[in-house]
């Protein structure tokens, strides 16, 4: 809109506090008399607990209390998204099921005393056999995590069509594709403080938590202890990142609350980095057995996927992402005549799996985009051309996929063409050919991906806009942890009401101040929370127009927003300020609340191009360029969008090349510190070339789609495809992630020796035993999008 603030680069209003040290996190809250809680964690992945001796720790200087499960008698942990009846106690009782599970809690006056006392607790374990690999855990003789359950299958289904979807294909490409387990690694790990209340207080407990969903945490804690939700207050101060890992109540939270209530003093737990790597839910963790049928002309005939979702211990809900969002988005951006999808959720003796930036959607894109590139190589068709031949077309929208996703809008060819143009695709191919002809040891790889994902969902959001003499206050049920909500939402109010951004106060993340909210996840905040803010602001504007019309003796239809107030169209001198309107209306009267309900989920899309160089003598992969064209509908602030694109792309590149949370055969985490887990630094990633196309959605008044996870969805398969492309002239058709130097070097060596293994492995027999998915078993398109 001409003259509108929206769509312009506006600096973040949140940053001064963060940059000048004025931010307040859980660990630097001034809580008088606070006690420190720490946990003795199991060093074994699977064992029976035979004896616990806490006497030495209890007698140690500075120790206030030591608790086992029997001492506290706490309720079970309420899973963020429950799957089956796999009860987890906050402190292990008779059995531990993953290395790092808390067994004993120690409460001390300071962190030094706490660290010493934790070493004094003696726990005797009787080791049990472990199931670490999710495919191996499906074997009939695999060690069962819950013997009474009968197997390690937590949930699953299969489609009746099976191999029939590939009938008539001239070519079938197939691969076992591993979407490896990742650690979330936010800058700030879990942090939680509790202040006990009582019957005569407003709340049974007030907690400060590093969470992305304060109201959801309130519900979980209230449900665990049997309290009314209004008797629990949750406050999220500044939060140092979440990426899906801070949704729901951690087991340790219940122990901290119990300690605060038992001891009558505030209690706090701030996890160490190694604790964070072991106990915060991990992400991804899928093994995909995927087959794509094509005609000789390059038309897709059908897709068959059999996907194993590793749930980790206690049926972590991330294992169910293979059954929900990954299946939902498995058609991707393509016309797909037939699809068969089988999914199984598997229990293993590893850290529970949850959400990580994209939550099931990156896994779908990675699987499909790998198959497209394999098909292009088999048919001798340029991978860009093969994509174009099979794209859904703009005139086909709105479009319902075979899995029930209702795509709102899209122009997939536009995004791909823009990415190829920026990359200089033809010149890159020419340079690749030149290097190959010269037998250059530095191999050039060009990888593409085209993707679509689901964001927002059908859940609504609360917002309130209140205009007062000093400006305006916004309250929203979302919860920012780096995204720039205060900036974006203030822009919306300033644009609508003409109140300067510096006069807009943003309030969030306190359940006593903001009555309800869905929190932040699934890239929902601007499109749902922002639309709620806009709607609440429109309520205020209607009230103000009536007041201004009466005061200026004009029709409400003729009242227009001016700088700092309202005026009459065509009469520059006839104006009234917001402050005057507030005085006329009375304090609190120029306010509006709403519970905005979107018209449905939105489907952002885009195309990425990755350019990598591989040293064929060492296998080392250097990313040279990364081009991201992401379409998130209407853009409110390009600066915020660009930041999300850059952060998402870096995490996606890191998965393709470096990161993996791995375990040894005994279930011991092998990458549980940042000395072992290969997190990239800024020096490891190339300059990112990020641009946008804009295709509005009809599902919200802003026309906005999500952007928080899109670049993560698009970047990973582009980089993986680039690595394989660099080696394709050697006959290589697949390299699993992460593409480490060792893995790439071994692949080059095998290719030159003629000993390359097939990328395909037969899926485990357990798929054939799963119940057939019926028409009545439709996954909710908006479920488990975090």
């Amino acid at each position: 809109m001409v003259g509108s603030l929206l769509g312009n680069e506006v600096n973040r209003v949140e940053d001064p506090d963060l940059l000048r040290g004025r931010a307040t996190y859980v660990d630097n809250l001034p809580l008088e008399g606070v006690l420190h809680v720490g946990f003795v964690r199991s060093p074994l992945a699977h064992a029976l607990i035979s004896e616990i001796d806490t006497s030495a720790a209890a007698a140690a200087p500075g120790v206030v209390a030591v608790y086992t499960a029997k001492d506290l008698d706490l309720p079970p942990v309420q899973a963020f998204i429950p799957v089956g009846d796999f009860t987890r106690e906050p402190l292990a009782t008779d059995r531990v099921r993953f290395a790092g599970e808390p067994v004993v809690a120690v409460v001390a006056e300071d962190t030094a005393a706490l660290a010493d006392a934790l070493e004094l607790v003696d726990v005797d374990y009787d080791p049990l056999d472990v199931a670490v690999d999710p495919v191996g855990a499906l074997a009939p003789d695999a060690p069962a995590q819950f013997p009474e359950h009968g197997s390690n299958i937590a949930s699953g289904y299969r489609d009746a069509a099976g191999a029939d979807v590939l009938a008539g294909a001239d070519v079938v490409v197939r691969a076992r594709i591993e979407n490896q387990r990742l650690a979330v690694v936010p800058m700030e790990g879990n942090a939680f403080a509790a202040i006990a209340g009582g019957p005569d207080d407003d709340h049974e407990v007030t907690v400060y938590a590093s969470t992305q969903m304060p109201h959801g945490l309130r519900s979980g804690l209230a449900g665990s202890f049997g309290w009314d939700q209004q008797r629990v207050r949750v406050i999220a101060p500044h939060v140092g990142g979440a990426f899906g890992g801070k949704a729901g109540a951690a087991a340790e939270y219940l122990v901290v609350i119990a300690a605060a209530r038992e001891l009558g003093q505030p209690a706090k737990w701030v996890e160490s980095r190694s604790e964070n790597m072991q106990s915060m839910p991990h992400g991804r963790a899928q093994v995909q057995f995927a087959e794509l049928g094509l005609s000789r002309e390059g038309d897709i005939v059908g897709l068959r996927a059999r996907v194993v979702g590793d749930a980790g211990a206690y049926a972590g809900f991330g294992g169910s992402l293979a059954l929900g969002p990954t299946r939902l988005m498995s058609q991707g951006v393509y016309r797909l005549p037939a699809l068969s999808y089988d999914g199984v959720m598997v229990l293993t003796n590893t850290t529970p799996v949850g959400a990580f930036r994209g939550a099931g959607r990156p896994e779908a894109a990675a699987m499909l985009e790998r198959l497209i590139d394999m098909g292009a190589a088999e048919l001798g068709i340029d991978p860009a051309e093969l994509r174009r031949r099979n794209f859904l077309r703009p005139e086909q929208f709105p479009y319902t996929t075979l899995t029930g996703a209702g795509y709102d809008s899209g122009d997939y060819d536009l995004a791909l063409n823009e990415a190829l143009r920026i990359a200089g695709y033809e010149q890159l191919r020419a340079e690749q050919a030149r290097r190959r002809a010269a037998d250059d040891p530095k191999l050039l790889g060009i990888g593409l991906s085209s993707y679509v994902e689901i964001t927002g969902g059908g859940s609504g959001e609360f917002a309130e806009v209140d205009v007062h003499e000093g400006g305006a206050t916004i309250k929203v049920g979302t919860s920012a942890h780096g995204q720039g909500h205060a900036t974006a939402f203030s822009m919306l109010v300033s644009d609508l009401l003409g109140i300067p951004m510096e006069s807009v106060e943003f309030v969030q993340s306190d359940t006593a101040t903001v009555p309800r909210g869905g929190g932040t996840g699934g890239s929902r905040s601007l499109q749902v929370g922002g639309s709620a803010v806009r709607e609440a602001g429109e309520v205020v504007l209607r009230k103000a127009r009536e007041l201004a019309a009466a005061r200026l003796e004009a029709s409400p239809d003729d009242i227009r927003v001016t700088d700092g107030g309202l005026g009459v169209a065509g009469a520059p001198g006839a104006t009234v300020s917001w402050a005057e309107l507030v005085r006329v209306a009375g304090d609190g009267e120029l306010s509006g609340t709403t519970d905005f309900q979107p018209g449905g989920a939105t489907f952002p899309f885009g195309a990425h191009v990755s350019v990598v160089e591989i040293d064929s003598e060492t296998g080392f992969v250097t990313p040279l360029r990364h081009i991201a064209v992401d379409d998130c509908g209407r853009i409110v602030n390009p600066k915020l969008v660009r930041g999300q694109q850059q952060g998402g792309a870096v995490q996606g590149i890191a998965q393709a090349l470096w990161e993996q949370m791995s375990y040894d055969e005994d279930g011991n985490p092998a990458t549980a510190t940042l000395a072992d887990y290969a997190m990239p630094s800024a020096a490891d990633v190339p300059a990112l070339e990020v641009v946008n196309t804009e295709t509005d959605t009809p599902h919200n008044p802003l026309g906005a789609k999500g952007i928080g996870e899109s670049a993560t969805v698009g970047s990973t398969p582009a980089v993986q495809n680039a690595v394989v492309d660099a080696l394709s002239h050697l006959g290589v058709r697949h390299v699993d992630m992460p593409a480490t130097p060792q893995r790439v070097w071994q692949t080059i060596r095998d290719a030159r020796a003629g000993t390359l293994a097939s990328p395909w492995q037969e899926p485990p027999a357990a798929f054939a035993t799963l119940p057939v998915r019926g028409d009545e078993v439709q996954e909710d398109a908006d479920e488990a999008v975090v």
Side-chain angles (χ1 to χ4, degrees):
M1 181 185 297
V2 177
S4 173
L5 182 65
L6 307 185
N8 291 296
E9 301 257 351
V10 175
N11 289 332
R12 288 163 47 105
V13 302
E14 300 92 339
D15 290 346
D17 282 350
L18 297 169
L19 294 172
R20 294 171 182 167
R22 296 196 295 256
T24 301
Y25 296 86
V26 171
D27 199 25
N28 65 350
L29 289 170
L31 301 176
E32 185 176 352
V34 67
L35 300 173
H36 299 266
V37 182
F39 294 91
V40 176
R41 298 178 181 275
S42 170
L44 302 177
H46 200 195
L48 298 177
I49 300 172
S50 58
E51 187 176 354
I52 301 175
D53 184 355
T54 63
S55 57
V63 171
V64 178
V66 181
Y67 297 119
T68 66
K70 292 180 180 178
D71 297 321
L72 293 178
D73 191 28
L74 286 169
V77 178
Q78 286 203 348
F80 175 61
I81 297 178
V83 179
D85 185 18
F86 302 101
T87 301
R88 179 180 180 184
E89 304 294 339
L91 295 173
T93 53
D94 60 333
R95 180 190 293 249
V96 292
R97 293 180 170 89
F98 69 98
E101 182 169 2
V103 179
V104 177
V106 177
V107 186
E109 295 173 348
D110 56 60
T111 55
L114 178 62
D116 291 340
L118 289 171
E119 298 292 330
L120 299 177
V121 175
D122 187 16
V123 183
D124 289 337
Y125 299 95
D126 295 328
L128 299 171
D129 291 338
V130 299
V132 177
D133 172 65
V135 175
L138 288 169
D141 59 349
Q145 195 183 105
F146 287 83
E148 65 276 15
H149 182 64
S151 78
N152 289 318
I153 296 177
S155 184
Y157 56 74
R158 61 189 171 95
D159 281 342
D164 291 349
V165 298
L166 304 175
D170 298 316
V171 170
V172 176
V173 292
R174 48 176 61 93
R176 176 198 181 276
I177 301 169
E178 183 172 353
N179 206 286
Q180 78 271 29
R181 176 186 285 250
L182 300 178
V184 176
V185 203
M187 285 193 293
E188 178 196 29
N190 276 313
F192 186 83
I195 303 172
D200 297 329
D201 297 310
D202 290 338
H203 303 97
E204 295 285 347
V205 68
T206 296
V207 304
Y208 295 86
S210 183
T211 178
Q212 62 193 81
M213 296 178 176
H215 295 85
L217 177 57
R218 178 183 68 176
S219 298
L221 295 176
S224 292
F225 287 98
W227 295 324
D228 182 273
Q229 288 193 26
Q230 302 306 316
R231 297 285 292 156
V232 178
R233 183 180 185 183
V234 176
I235 304 167
H238 286 96
V239 174
F243 306 116
K246 296 179 180 177
E252 293 87 348
Y253 292 3
L254 305 186
V255 178
V256 176
I257 289 174
R261 288 169 62 82
E262 287 275 333
L263 301 171
Q265 289 179 248
K268 178 174 70 173
W269 167 63
V270 178
E271 69 181 0
S272 68
R273 179 55 63 187
S274 60
E275 280 185 300
N276 174 261
M277 300 291 283
Q278 291 187 65
S279 62
M280 178 172 279
H282 294 157
R284 306 291 188 258
Q286 290 186 11
V287 181
Q288 305 160 333
F289 299 86
E291 303 168 87
L292 186 70
L294 303 110
S295 71
R296 287 288 176 195
E297 292 73 32
D299 295 319
I300 296 175
V301 172
L303 169 68
R304 186 183 189 194
R306 284 165 282 184
V307 179
V308 178
D310 185 353
Y314 299 101
F317 86 91
S320 68
L321 298 177
L323 311 181
T326 302
R327 176 189 179 273
L328 183 73
M329 299 312 299
S330 58
Q331 182 167 341
V333 296
Y334 304 108
R335 298 187 306 275
L336 194 61
L339 183 149
S340 176
Y341 187 103
D342 304 350
V344 62
M345 178 181 179
V346 186
L347 297 159
T348 59
N349 295 115
T350 59
T351 298
V353 177
F356 174 62
R357 201 169 193 165
R361 294 102 78 196
E363 296 89 317
M367 174 181 69
L368 190 54
E369 291 303 287
R370 270 280 57 238
L371 291 175
I372 290 291
D373 261 33
M374 292 178 71
E378 184 68 25
L379 294 169
I381 300 174
D382 184 272
E385 176 58 27
L386 185 61
R387 286 171 170 81
R388 288 195 186 99
R389 291 186 190 182
N390 291 281
F391 277 153
L392 292 165
R393 305 299 177 191
E395 60 271 16
Q396 293 179 268
F397 293 91
Y399 179 87
T400 301
T401 70
L402 296 177
T403 57
Y407 291 179
D408 49 354
S409 60
D411 192 340
Y412 306 143
D413 198 36
L414 175 66
L416 178 60
N417 287 337
E418 181 67 0
L420 296 176
R421 182 193 66 79
I422 295 169
Y425 186 64
E426 296 303 325
Q427 294 91 327
L428 287 171
R429 287 294 179 200
E431 171 62 13
Q432 182 184 60
R434 186 197 66 75
R435 291 194 189 194
R436 288 177 176 178
D439 200 21
D440 193 324
K442 296 295 181 68
L443 308 177
L444 190 69
I446 306 117
L448 314 180
S449 75
S450 294
Y451 74 91
V452 60
E453 68 142 337
I454 179 174
T455 64
S459 58
E461 190 54 85
F462 167 84
E464 176 184 310
V465 174
D466 177 50
V467 177
H468 42 78
E469 288 202 41
T473 299
I474 308 169
K475 295 180 181 179
V476 194
T478 61
S479 184
H481 41 275
Q483 296 88 342
H485 292 187
T487 302
F489 296 163
S490 297
M491 287 176 67
L492 291 169
V493 169
S494 181
D495 182 76
L496 181 66
L497 302 181
I499 297 173
M501 282 185 63
E502 59 269 22
S503 299
V504 179
E505 180 189 8
F506 177 62
V507 177
Q508 61 159 3
S509 302
D510 182 344
T511 62
T513 305
V514 182
R516 53 194 173 275
T520 294
S523 301
R524 68 189 300 272
S525 294
L526 178 68
Q527 58 182 305
V528 185
S531 293
V533 168
R534 183 81 179 189
E535 202 170 76
E538 288 169 346
V539 172
V540 173
L541 185 56
R542 286 195 295 271
K543 291 180 179 179
R545 277 181 167 149
E546 294 287 344
L547 286 172
R551 192 165 183 81
L552 299 172
E553 299 181 347
S555 167
D557 294 338
D558 292 331
I559 299 298
R560 301 289 184 268
V561 174
T562 65
D563 289 339
L566 301 180
V568 180
T575 62
V576 58
S577 70
W578 279 108
E580 292 177 81
L581 290 171
V582 170
R583 287 192 289 271
V584 171
D587 191 41
E589 292 302 312
L590 277 182
S591 66
T593 62
T594 187
D595 287 280
F596 172 78
Q597 196 70 27
T602 61
F603 292 83
F605 62 91
H608 286 214
V609 177
S610 169
V611 184
V612 304
E613 186 176 76
I614 297 178
D615 186 333
S616 60
E617 296 176 354
T618 65
F620 189 83
V621 181
T622 302
L624 300 179
R625 294 177 65 192
H626 194 93
I627 297 92
V629 178
D630 301 302
D631 193 310
C632 58
R634 187 185 182 197
I635 293 174
V636 168
N637 186 337
K639 186 183 288 286
L640 297 181
V641 168
R642 190 162 59 248
Q644 291 296 316
Q645 288 179 280
Q646 291 170 339
V650 169
Q651 286 185 310
I653 294 168
Q655 177 179 5
L657 296 181
W658 303 300
E659 293 187 33
Q660 181 169 18
M661 193 70 203
S662 57
Y663 293 83
D664 66 19
E665 61 183 10
D666 295 321
N668 300 308
T671 51
T673 73
L674 292 182
D676 303 303
Y677 186 85
M679 277 279 292
S681 71
D684 296 311
V685 295
L688 302 169
E689 302 165 63
V690 297
V691 297
N692 306 98
T693 58
E694 291 191 55
T695 307
D696 288 7
T697 178
H699 290 332
N700 63 70
L702 299 178
K705 304 183 183 186
I707 189 59
E709 296 152 295
S710 290
T712 311
V713 179
S715 58
T716 302
V719 177
Q720 187 180 20
N721 284 342
V723 171
V724 178
D725 178 70
L727 309 178
S728 61
H729 64 298
L730 302 176
V732 175
R733 293 294 176 264
H734 183 67
V735 177
D736 261 326
M737 300 185 293
T740 61
Q742 174 67 26
R743 179 171 279 166
V744 173
W745 176 83
Q746 187 64 56
T747 300
I748 294 171
R749 184 179 181 185
D750 290 345
R752 289 173 172 165
T755 57
L756 274 174
S758 169
W760 175 250
Q761 293 178 19
E762 287 297 322
F767 278 107
T769 68
L770 298 174
V772 174
R773 178 189 179 88
D775 293 339
E776 73 283 357
V777 188
Q778 273 293 326
E779 300 297 324
D780 184 353
D782 303 325
E783 189 174 351
V785 178
V786 178

